[in-house]
Amino acid sequence: MNPICLLFMLFLRSRYILVSFGLLLFSCKSSVDTVVLQSQVLETDTVFKAQKNEKSELRVFNIPNADASAGENTGPQVFKLNLGDQPLAIQPDAKNPEKLITEFAFASFINSQHTAALVQLQDNSGLVAPFYIISLDGEKAKAYSLYRGSEGPQDSRFTKGQSEIGRSGYLINNDFFVTRVDGRVYKLARQEPGQRIQGLHFMNSADRQTLVFLVNSALYQVHYPSGKTYTQPLPASAPKKPSGLFAWIQQNLVWERDKDQILWLKSSAADNRVRNLNEFKK
């Protein structure tokens, strides 16, 4: 082979190797690592009020779950979270580090700064998929588990995931209340220490700070900001079905404020005032 042709071919080959190596380096640098969060248990009532900073931002994405041929949503919503440009994943079980959750069945910011979000895993292994709070902590993110062990005989009936309480917040599994605007998470006072509240969330006070649960022959009430509770017994004559009980409550019980201005639903046997039916909030 002509020496000049050989040198030219070697030159082209070296250029190809250099270009390929450069592309490989670029692809490695441009890849984004997933941030894995190991959750911790939320021990006490907590306020999540971290401020945004320039170097990190919590982002929530709603991923369309659509049939490409039909162009319509065909399944439940899917959410993903990022810390800046880095995807976030939760490691729900420290004993199984290979199990990482990157997609969520529910996600919503819980403070006006958009630095903390309530999320629910896509996981059907238990009664209800677990809930977490993901919050900024400086330039990093942390995950907090909204779980409390329970051995209630009717847990399967009353563990219902999240229920929206108007614009106030979310009731989580009869065990937590999470506000929607100021990032507050409250552990609800249980009727029995080892059991989540064994009752149907039935109604709320007008200020939506007292939650009323229909338990066995009584109304168990929790004022979540203070942790105080009150139980109003129901007579045997009260309707057993919730549909009839609500009207009965409107005629026989009243909302009263105590010395701390907390609203409680109480018997009105000696009360003759005109009732404002708007006080009764389902």
Side-chain angles (χ1 to χ4, degrees):
M1 180 179 293
N2 189 316
I4 296 177
C5 292
L6 180 61
L7 289 173
F8 182 70
M9 290 178 65
L10 290 174
F11 172 74
L12 290 178
R13 184 178 180 183
S14 63
R15 288 287 301 272
Y16 174 77
I17 292 173
L18 287 173
V19 170
S20 300
F21 185 68
L23 290 173
L24 178 62
L25 287 177
F26 177 79
S27 64
C28 291
K29 289 181 180 179
S30 63
S31 63
V32 179
D33 294 331
T34 297
V35 178
V36 178
L37 305 178
Q38 294 183 346
S39 68
Q40 50 191 298
V41 177
L42 197 68
E43 298 288 352
T44 60
D45 294 352
T46 305
V47 182
F48 293 94
K49 56 181 179 180
Q51 298 298 318
K52 284 186 177 180
N53 58 74
E54 296 179 355
K55 296 184 178 181
S56 61
E57 180 183 6
L58 192 61
R59 300 176 180 175
V60 173
F61 299 96
N62 186 349
I63 309 301
N65 189 347
D67 185 337
S69 61
E72 298 179 355
N73 290 331
T74 58
Q77 290 183 310
V78 177
F79 296 86
K80 291 189 176 184
L81 275 74
N82 275 19
L83 179 62
D85 294 327
Q86 295 180 282
L88 287 175
I90 288 182
Q91 185 185 91
D93 184 1
K95 297 179 181 179
N96 185 9
E98 294 183 358
K99 181 179 180 180
L100 301 178
I101 306 297
T102 60
E103 294 185 346
F104 303 91
F106 173 85
S108 179
F109 286 115
I110 61 170
N111 60 10
S112 57
Q113 304 96 311
H114 285 192
T115 57
L118 170 67
V119 302
Q120 183 182 22
L121 304 191
Q122 282 198 321
D123 181 358
N124 297 320
S125 59
L127 289 176
V128 171
F131 288 86
Y132 294 82
I133 300 293
I134 296 180
S135 174
L136 285 184
D137 183 19
E139 296 178 11
K140 299 181 179 180
K142 289 186 176 181
Y144 300 86
S145 171
L146 297 186
Y147 175 77
R148 299 163 69 185
S150 175
E151 297 181 355
Q154 298 190 73
D155 277 353
S156 60
R157 180 182 175 188
F158 298 117
T159 305
K160 295 186 175 182
Q162 63 91 5
S163 302
E164 292 190 37
I165 310 298
R167 297 181 179 179
S168 301
Y170 305 95
L171 172 64
I172 307 296
N173 291 331
N174 278 13
D175 249 349
F176 293 89
F177 188 82
V178 181
T179 63
R180 299 183 68 161
V181 178
D182 57 1
R184 296 178 184 270
V185 180
Y186 299 94
K187 296 174 68 174
L188 297 185
R190 291 177 163 184
Q191 196 172 19
E192 299 292 339
Q195 304 175 7
R196 65 177 52 98
I197 299 172
Q198 301 289 290
L200 173 69
H201 173 236
F202 190 63
M203 61 194 309
N204 315 293
S205 58
D207 61 8
R208 300 190 186 280
Q209 293 189 344
T210 301
L211 308 180
V212 182
F213 297 86
L214 177 59
V215 298
N216 289 332
S217 302
L219 298 174
Y220 177 66
Q221 304 171 54
V222 181
H223 183 255
Y224 62 79
S226 68
K228 294 182 178 181
T229 66
Y230 175 78
T231 300
Q232 173 61 50
L234 293 174
S237 59
K240 305 301 180 186
K241 295 183 178 181
S243 57
L245 183 60
F246 185 77
W248 182 92
I249 287 174
Q250 289 179 313
Q251 297 300 319
N252 293 275
L253 304 181
V254 293
W255 286 103
E256 292 183 358
R257 290 190 182 274
D258 64 12
K259 59 182 180 62
D260 298 316
Q261 297 303 301
I262 297 174
L263 284 167
W264 302 113
L265 194 55
K266 295 187 175 184
S267 173
S268 60
D271 186 88
N272 294 316
R273 69 184 177 90
V274 177
R275 290 173 176 76
N276 179 1
L277 297 185
N278 291 327
E279 294 178 344
F280 295 87
K281 302 291 184 180
K282 281 190 175 181

